[in-house]
Each structure stands twice: as C-alpha cells, then as structure tokens.
Amino acid sequence: MRRILFLVFIVLLAMLAGGTYWYRTNMEEQVSASRWLSYSLDKVKSVYVSGEEESYALVAVDNGWETRVPDASSNVSTKALNDRVRDYLNRLSELIPLLSFEERGDDGPEVHGLDEPGVRITVRFKDEGIAPLEIRFSKDDADRTYGWNSVTPDRAYEFGGEVYGQFAQPAVHFLDTKIFHFEEERVYQVQLVQPFGSSWLVKRGANGFSFVLPGYLKDKIASGSELKLYLHALALLRANKLLLEPAEPERGMAALTIKVWAGKDKEPSTVEFFTIEDDPKHYFGRSSWLTVPFLLDAESVSQLVKSAFDVQGRNVFSLDIGQVAVIVIINGDRRYVVRREHSGWRVEGGEKNVPGIDMALWRFTELQFEALPLNNLAATAVKLMHCRLLDGDGDELKAVTFYADPKLPLGQCWMKNGDGMYYPVSARLLKDLQGMFPGGSVKTE
C-alpha cells in the first residue's frame, strides 16, 4: 500500500512539474508575443517619418536635433525641439499593445492596412552594427490602431485609437520656432537699430546697463527693469510660421534689427525684420538662431520697437529717505515746516502728526519723467509748490518746484530738479502734497 501511494505521489509530482513548466513556457511565449519592442531607442542617429501628406527626417546633431523637410528643389534643415523628439522616441519604445497575433496567410499585413500604412517610420542607430528599425502604423474605420515592426515581422499588434495620432505628427510639431537664443541672466550688451527711427546700444557695467549709443546718452544709466522685461519678451518670442522653402526679403534694408550678446559669445543673437509689401499684417524675419526665415505678425513686431527713451533710466533723482528730517513746503502764500519726531511727522506749531509723509517721500524716489526734460518752460506754466528736503543738521538734500501747464497731458505736471531741468512727471505726488498742505493765493516766480 505504501508502495502504491509512493508511486501515485511520484506521478502527481511529475504532473505538477510538467504543468508548471508548460504554464511558464506558455506565459513566456505570451509575454514575448505581446511585447512591442525588446530594446529602448536611446542611441538613435535619425528618424525618418513618412505620413499621408508629408515626409521628413529628425536627425541627431552635436547640439541636439534637426528637422529636415525635403521639397522639389532642396532639403530644408531647421532646429528641432529636443524634448519633443525625445518624447516621440520614448513613446515609440514604451508602447503596450492591447492584442498581438500572427501575421500569416490570409491574416497578413494587408488585412490590417499595414502593407500600405498611414505612417511609416524608419529608425537608424549610431551603432552601424544594428540594423535599421522599420515601424508601420495604420488605422481602420473603427478607430483601432494597428502596428508592425521589423523586429517581429511575423506579428501584428493592436493599440488604442489615440496611438495613431501620436505618431502621425506633422513636421511642424518638432520645429523650434524660438527666434532668439540667449540666457537672460548672462546678457551683457543689447542693440536695436532702425534706419528711420530711434537706435541705441547699451552695455552692462558694474552699476548695471548704461548707454553707448546714441551719443547724447553716452554713459547715462539705462533702466534695468525695462531692459529685463524687454529681454524676457525677446526670449519668449516665437515665429508665427517657418518658411520651409527658399525665400528672400522683398527689400534689402531691414526695418528693425535687434542684437543680443550673452555669456562668452563673441557673436550676438541677431534677428532682422523686413516689411512685406503685399502683407502689411506680417513681417519677414531672419534669425541667426533659426536656419530658415519666418513670419511674425506686425503687432508683435511693433511691441519690440523700443526707443532710447523707453529704456532710459528715467528716475528724476535718487534720495535716501532715511536722511530726511525736515520738509519745508511753500504752497501758494502758505509755508509749512514739517519735522520728523519719534511719534511721526508734525508741522511746526501743530499738535497732531501728519499722516502720509513717508509715502510721499517714497513717491519722490519713484518719480520718473514721462517725456524728455526741457531747459526752459513755456509761458503757460504756473508755479504751484516748492519743496525743500533737509537732513538733521539743516543741510539741504533736495529742492524741487512743481508747475502746472495746460499744454501737458492730463495727469502730468512739470517738476524742476536741482540740476535746473524741467521734467514732465505724474501729478499724483503734487496732488497728495496739496491735499496734506493746502495753499492760499498762488505766488508766481
């Protein structure tokens, strides 16, 4: 009896081992059959994509990728977006099929449209010893995507309908449309040239940007905040359309040229804009970064046109408001002396603090002229207020005079600074001071 039980046990054990082996072998075959690609696409030399409407190549170069689009007369090359090429290859290698099946006899590739696919992709590798990889995708009326690759030529694969669109991308999907190429933080020189407008050149120094051109602004401080915003706008600028066929501007002289030097680059990132006679809504552009010309809408180009005045440092004067201890204000025929005390600012002879003085002092430091200053005022200007800012020893820090002028734009007034120039500035500070220190009849100078 024991011998019989032992033999039964041996038979059952053999059957279990055989079943396990069969199961593992069967599962391995299923896994192998359902696997799309057996290796990653991380050392690719080129990707050739042939779609229903166009063909193009993505080619690896020293600094990234290029998109090459052939036409009847040439093979246009332009920079590609490295991240998009990498994403395309990653998606291609990481696909997970829903089904896989043998492609033999009556169930050959033609049954699923893979003999004439909508998308044909050829991947070549940097290692010449690796054979090129061919991939095909088709889509049926039920929105199912079918795939085939040369690694497993006897199998076809079924994917979700969205897979077809992921690989039927047009060439424009990969094109780098960035117009300028520079690192904003490393810019040390900027130049704008207009043949019939304001042109300027600024260079970074120890104290920020200052003018090299035009001559009347040489060594004058440029506005760091304005230039920072301007450079940021340039860095974000994208072409509306790249011209993938040979093209030249209609006119020889550019309407606008912008050059940006950054880092250790000896040559600037340069962009030229040309008018188009039959298309006033666009400009024809050429860029040192892009290898093909482009179109940009006229509105965007107009926002790039900055005069020397626009990027000039326009603060009227600098002031350390912590040093101000006394403010003397003459408004009409009234004179006020305001002193800084421990509890706040108080008018001589008054019993209450005057609120808003610290804010007014801050507004002094923020005053910017809204147009070019003048040496002399028109007869229409009328003196309104005179302010003297003194330190704790009674020494004068600043002296300014405000004037009203009906010829100025609404919301502006003239302000005379210690340098003798008359600056058109916002009248907000003047109105604040008039509200705090009312005047009597106006005295003219």
Side-chain angles (χ1 to χ4, degrees):
M1 186 67 181
R2 290 182 178 178
R3 181 178 296 180
I4 295 173
L5 291 176
F6 178 74
L7 291 174
V8 171
F9 176 76
I10 293 297
V11 171
L12 290 174
L13 187 63
M15 292 176 62
L16 179 62
T20 302
Y21 174 78
W22 175 85
Y23 177 78
R24 289 184 60 185
T25 302
N26 185 59
M27 289 302 296
E28 288 176 357
E29 289 178 353
Q30 289 185 36
V31 170
S32 177
S34 64
R35 182 181 299 157
W36 166 243
L37 289 177
S38 58
Y39 50 83
S40 63
L41 304 179
D42 57 351
K43 295 182 179 180
V44 173
K45 181 173 68 174
S46 66
V47 183
Y48 182 81
V49 182
S50 177
E52 297 177 4
E53 297 183 358
E54 64 174 349
S55 299
Y56 58 89
L58 304 170
V59 182
V61 294
D62 291 339
N63 58 349
W65 292 83
E66 283 185 353
T67 307
R68 297 178 182 175
V69 184
D71 63 14
S73 59
S74 63
N75 189 27
V76 176
S77 298
T78 187
K79 297 182 185 298
L81 294 168
N82 297 337
D83 291 344
R84 289 195 177 182
V85 177
R86 196 70 258 162
D87 179 68
Y88 190 82
L89 291 172
N90 288 340
R91 287 175 181 269
L92 199 58
S93 65
E94 295 172 2
L95 276 176
I96 299 176
L98 301 176
L99 295 171
S100 69
F101 33 82
E102 296 287 342
E103 286 286 289
R104 293 176 181 173
D106 295 337
D107 294 328
E110 62 275 6
V111 174
H112 305 291
L114 292 169
D115 56 335
E116 296 183 1
V119 179
R120 188 189 299 267
I121 302 170
T122 302
V123 180
R124 298 184 183 278
F125 299 89
K126 295 178 181 179
D127 184 351
E128 298 292 343
I130 302 177
L133 170 65
E134 183 180 348
I135 295 174
R136 305 175 191 174
F137 290 108
S138 64
K139 187 168 66 171
D140 65 11
D141 295 337
D143 201 35
R144 290 174 294 197
T145 299
Y146 293 97
W148 176 93
N149 69 70
S150 57
V151 177
T152 53
D154 295 331
R155 302 201 69 82
Y157 302 84
E158 182 180 326
F159 304 94
E162 76 284 353
V163 169
Y164 185 86
Q166 292 175 0
F167 299 104
Q169 296 287 359
V172 68
H173 174 75
F174 299 97
L175 300 184
D176 185 354
T177 58
K178 182 169 59 179
I179 294 175
F180 285 92
H181 180 65
F182 59 82
E183 295 182 45
E184 296 177 52
E185 299 79 10
R186 304 184 69 193
V187 172
Y188 65 88
Q189 191 165 276
V190 186
Q191 184 175 24
L192 181 147
V193 179
Q194 297 179 93
F196 306 108
S198 175
S199 299
W200 47 269
L201 171 65
V202 295
K203 190 172 185 178
R204 189 192 296 271
N207 298 318
F209 284 97
S210 61
F211 281 92
V212 178
L213 295 172
Y216 71 89
L217 287 176
K218 185 172 176 59
D219 297 329
K220 297 286 187 181
I221 296 297
S223 172
S225 58
E226 288 293 335
L227 285 170
K228 184 177 181 179
L229 288 173
Y230 187 58
L231 290 171
H232 188 60
L234 295 181
L236 294 177
L237 201 60
R238 299 291 186 270
N240 295 140
K241 179 182 180 181
L242 298 185
L243 303 178
L244 301 180
E245 297 179 358
E248 293 293 331
E250 296 176 354
R251 301 181 182 181
M253 182 179 294
L256 175 66
T257 302
I258 302 172
K259 299 181 179 182
V260 180
W261 289 260
K264 297 181 180 180
D265 296 338
K266 295 181 179 179
E267 297 297 324
S269 178
T270 303
V271 175
E272 299 174 293
F273 296 98
F274 301 82
T275 57
I276 304 174
E277 186 173 351
D278 297 331
D279 186 6
K281 294 184 178 181
H282 292 91
Y283 278 79
F284 179 96
R286 290 192 305 204
S287 165
S288 60
W289 170 246
L290 295 174
T291 56
V292 295
F294 61 91
L295 295 180
L296 186 64
D297 61 280
E299 182 179 355
S300 295
V301 175
S302 68
Q303 293 175 359
L304 303 179
V305 178
K306 299 289 184 180
S307 67
F309 176 79
D310 292 330
V311 296
Q312 184 178 352
R314 291 185 280 133
N315 285 75
V316 178
F317 55 70
S318 59
L319 174 68
D320 182 355
I321 59 178
Q323 294 185 6
V324 180
V326 180
I327 305 174
V328 180
I329 296 176
I330 301 175
N331 187 10
D333 61 0
R334 295 187 182 180
R335 183 175 183 272
Y336 301 87
V337 179
V338 190
R339 296 185 181 277
R340 188 198 295 268
E341 299 182 358
H342 292 295
S343 61
W345 292 89
R346 183 169 296 184
V347 178
E348 281 188 349
E351 297 180 354
K352 294 183 179 180
N353 291 342
V354 180
I357 296 296
D358 289 321
M359 177 60 71
L361 289 174
W362 180 80
R363 291 195 192 283
F364 269 109
T365 66
E366 293 295 306
L367 274 178
Q368 293 187 330
F369 50 91
E370 307 292 336
L372 292 176
L374 302 177
N375 289 315
N376 298 290
L377 287 183
T380 52
V382 177
K383 179 181 175 181
L384 295 181
M385 180 181 290
H386 180 73
C387 298
R388 295 176 66 223
L389 308 180
L390 312 176
D391 63 16
D393 297 326
D395 295 328
E396 184 174 280
L397 298 173
K398 294 291 178 183
V400 298
T401 308
F402 294 96
Y403 299 82
D405 188 347
K407 292 187 176 181
L408 281 175
L410 186 65
Q412 291 185 19
C413 65
W414 293 105
M415 190 186 81
K416 182 180 180 182
N417 191 19
D419 61 3
M421 299 288 286
Y422 296 89
Y423 296 87
V425 299
S426 168
R428 183 173 182 179
L429 173 59
L430 172 62
K431 291 181 179 179
D432 288 348
L433 293 174
Q434 287 175 326
M436 288 186 284
F437 307 103
S441 58
V442 177
K443 291 184 178 180
T444 58
E445 201 173 44

